[in-house]
Amino acid sequence: MVKNKYFYFLFLLNALINIVNFVPRGLIAERFNGAMMAIVVSVPIGLTLMYLCVKMLNKFPGEGLPEIYNANYPKLVSKAMLFGHTLFWYMAGLITLISFVDVTMRYITSDVSSLLIMIGFLVVVCLAIRLTAESILYALEVVIILNVPIIIYVLIKALLNPMFSWDAVMQVITYSFKVPSYGAIADATFIFTGYLNLAIFNRTFNKVRIRHIWLIGVVGFLVLITSVLIPVGYQGTLGVERHVYPWFSTADVLRTKNFIIERVLFFFYFTYLTLSLVSSIVHWHVALEMFKGVFTIKEKKKRKVDPEWWMILAFCIAALFALNTGQFLRNRAGLWFLNIRLVAEIFLIASVYLAHKLRGAKKRE
């Protein structure tokens, strides 16, 4: 069993990786229509869902969602729910991978084929998702400890730069009392979603105890505010919406005299490259375990090919097909995913609660 600190690392990973995904873009699009209020509202919503999910999963110590569903629901219902969750986590990892392939093509090298970059990422991710949950959590700890100081440095560098326009920031803040849309709230609550990975990683915990939950709320709020307002401060209240990846465009503006590399973009890119790969590994590890739960494979005589590899091959083929989609379709799919995700989270928590009630009813019988 692992220590409680790894729960916080799962939250931090998801909170930090939102810069690469569609969260800033979705909130920036709503900056005059309730994005600021959505950020405020997302904190109590995200913390409430986090608390409920942890409380429900603590009823099943050392068990993942496949064990919970298969033991308490009819076989057909269990398989259908696990397959739905497989698609959910697979899409979360796929969006991150495709986004970073696009970032690499736009900001680092336009000469290398996107297919070649994607294959390189898939090799790393697919070899890692077969590791044990404990090994992935230990690797996550190292990545977080190494990269968080660099991210904090970039944030401080951005805020202290004389090019930063506080007037643009204040103009957006004046729209703080606009009523937010559902889409804006769904985008903002995404950064708290790291707790959902307990659906599989709960196997490695005896019991998760959330201490200082208010601190998670403060960190989440600061991450959301900076991910929206810093790009606005550099690119303006109107110009910011023209950028596909506002944060990478912002990092490309910054320069530093304290390192060998002058452009902040380069070490910002490599920082988020490691975070993106680890995030995809975590999401696809969960998706793989969910998929295995759909096919409850009993121990049989040795096979020539491990069934896991066929599942991983299906992941890769789908990813390569998705790579050929256009930018507009990917953007729409990313925003749809964020909107559906909030409902899916509530459904997952409710399903675990119902499983607990069904188990209690069976014991009483």
Side-chain angles (χ1 to χ4, degrees):
M1 296 294 175
V2 298
K3 295 181 179 179
N4 207 56
K5 63 181 180 180
Y6 292 99
F7 169 77
Y8 297 94
F9 289 141
L10 288 171
F11 158 73
L12 270 178
L13 176 67
N14 209 77
L16 295 174
I17 205 64
N18 86 90
I19 287 175
V20 180
N21 287 325
F22 299 93
V23 173
R25 199 181 318 167
L27 290 175
I28 286 170
E30 298 286 327
R31 63 196 181 283
F32 301 132
N33 297 304
M36 293 297 102
M37 184 58 70
I39 290 173
V40 174
V41 170
S42 70
V43 175
I45 293 175
L47 294 181
T48 301
L49 292 175
M50 179 184 292
Y51 173 79
L52 291 175
C53 183
V54 171
K55 185 176 181 179
M56 288 300 103
L57 287 173
N58 280 340
K59 305 288 186 183
F60 302 90
E63 294 184 51
L65 218 57
E67 293 87 359
I68 295 171
Y69 281 178
N70 289 331
N72 298 287
Y73 284 105
K75 186 177 294 185
L76 189 61
V77 175
S78 173
K79 290 180 183 295
M81 290 194 296
L82 286 173
F83 184 72
H85 292 318
T86 299
L87 294 178
F88 170 76
W89 263 279
Y90 175 75
M91 283 298 298
L94 180 62
I95 288 170
T96 302
L97 278 180
I98 292 180
S99 296
F100 223 83
V101 169
D102 197 21
V103 167
T104 304
M105 293 289 294
R106 287 171 183 268
Y107 295 98
I108 303 300
T109 173
S110 58
D111 299 328
V112 181
S113 166
S114 60
L115 178 62
L116 188 60
I117 297 171
M118 185 59 144
I119 290 173
F121 288 169
L122 287 175
V123 169
V124 174
V125 171
C126 291
L127 289 176
I129 61 176
R130 298 187 75 245
L131 297 173
T132 62
E134 290 89 347
S135 298
I136 293 174
L137 288 175
Y138 297 149
L140 170 60
E141 179 181 13
V142 174
V143 169
I144 292 291
I145 291 173
L146 291 178
N147 288 321
V148 165
I150 299 175
I151 294 172
I152 292 174
Y153 170 79
V154 172
L155 291 175
I156 294 173
K157 188 78 177 175
L159 289 171
L160 297 180
N161 195 305
M163 295 176 61
F164 186 80
S165 173
W166 288 100
D167 290 338
V169 170
M170 293 305 298
Q171 186 176 354
V172 171
I173 291 176
T174 57
Y175 292 87
S176 296
F177 294 100
K178 289 279 187 177
V179 178
S181 64
Y182 167 78
I185 295 174
D187 293 347
T189 52
F190 175 74
I191 72 158
F192 296 98
T193 307
Y195 68 85
L196 275 188
N197 292 311
L198 286 175
I200 291 298
F201 286 97
N202 193 55
R203 295 170 176 172
T204 65
F205 291 90
N206 184 28
K207 190 174 183 181
V208 177
R209 294 177 177 84
I210 308 179
R211 296 185 176 92
H212 309 298
I213 193 170
W214 62 269
L215 187 58
I216 296 177
V218 170
V219 172
F221 178 77
L222 292 176
V223 168
L224 283 169
I225 284 291
T226 54
S227 65
V228 173
L229 295 184
I230 288 181
V232 168
Y234 279 94
Q235 296 149 21
T237 55
L238 298 179
V240 69
E241 66 183 357
R242 299 171 188 160
H243 296 267
V244 179
Y245 300 100
W247 254 98
F248 281 92
S249 298
T250 300
D252 201 19
V253 174
L254 301 176
R255 298 291 183 270
T256 179
K257 298 180 181 178
N258 301 325
F259 291 96
I260 297 173
I261 301 173
E262 181 186 2
R263 293 176 68 188
V264 171
L265 174 67
F266 287 120
F267 58 85
F268 184 77
Y269 168 82
F270 285 108
T271 296
Y272 269 89
L273 173 61
T274 56
L275 287 173
S276 295
L277 290 177
V278 172
S279 175
S280 298
I281 289 167
V282 168
H283 286 140
W284 279 16
H285 173 77
V286 175
L288 180 63
E289 293 299 318
M290 293 284 191
F291 206 16
K292 287 162 61 177
V294 176
F295 307 98
T296 49
I297 303 170
K298 298 179 180 179
E299 291 294 329
K300 295 181 180 179
K301 57 184 180 180
K302 292 184 179 179
R303 298 176 175 84
K304 292 183 179 179
V305 180
D306 192 328
E308 280 188 7
W309 285 113
W310 293 111
M311 298 177 186
I312 293 172
L313 180 62
F315 284 8
C316 293
I317 291 173
L320 293 176
F321 273 109
L323 186 64
N324 294 322
T325 57
Q327 181 69 54
F328 177 78
L329 181 58
R330 290 201 296 265
N331 291 349
R332 297 298 301 170
L335 294 175
W336 289 337
F337 168 78
L338 291 175
N339 290 341
I340 296 170
R341 171 206 55 81
L342 183 57
V343 178
E345 285 186 31
I346 297 171
F347 173 80
L348 186 149
I349 295 169
S351 67
V352 177
Y353 173 76
L354 182 58
H356 172 63
K357 290 297 183 183
L358 290 172
R359 187 182 66 171
K362 288 179 183 178
K363 287 183 178 179
R364 287 193 294 271
E365 291 176 357

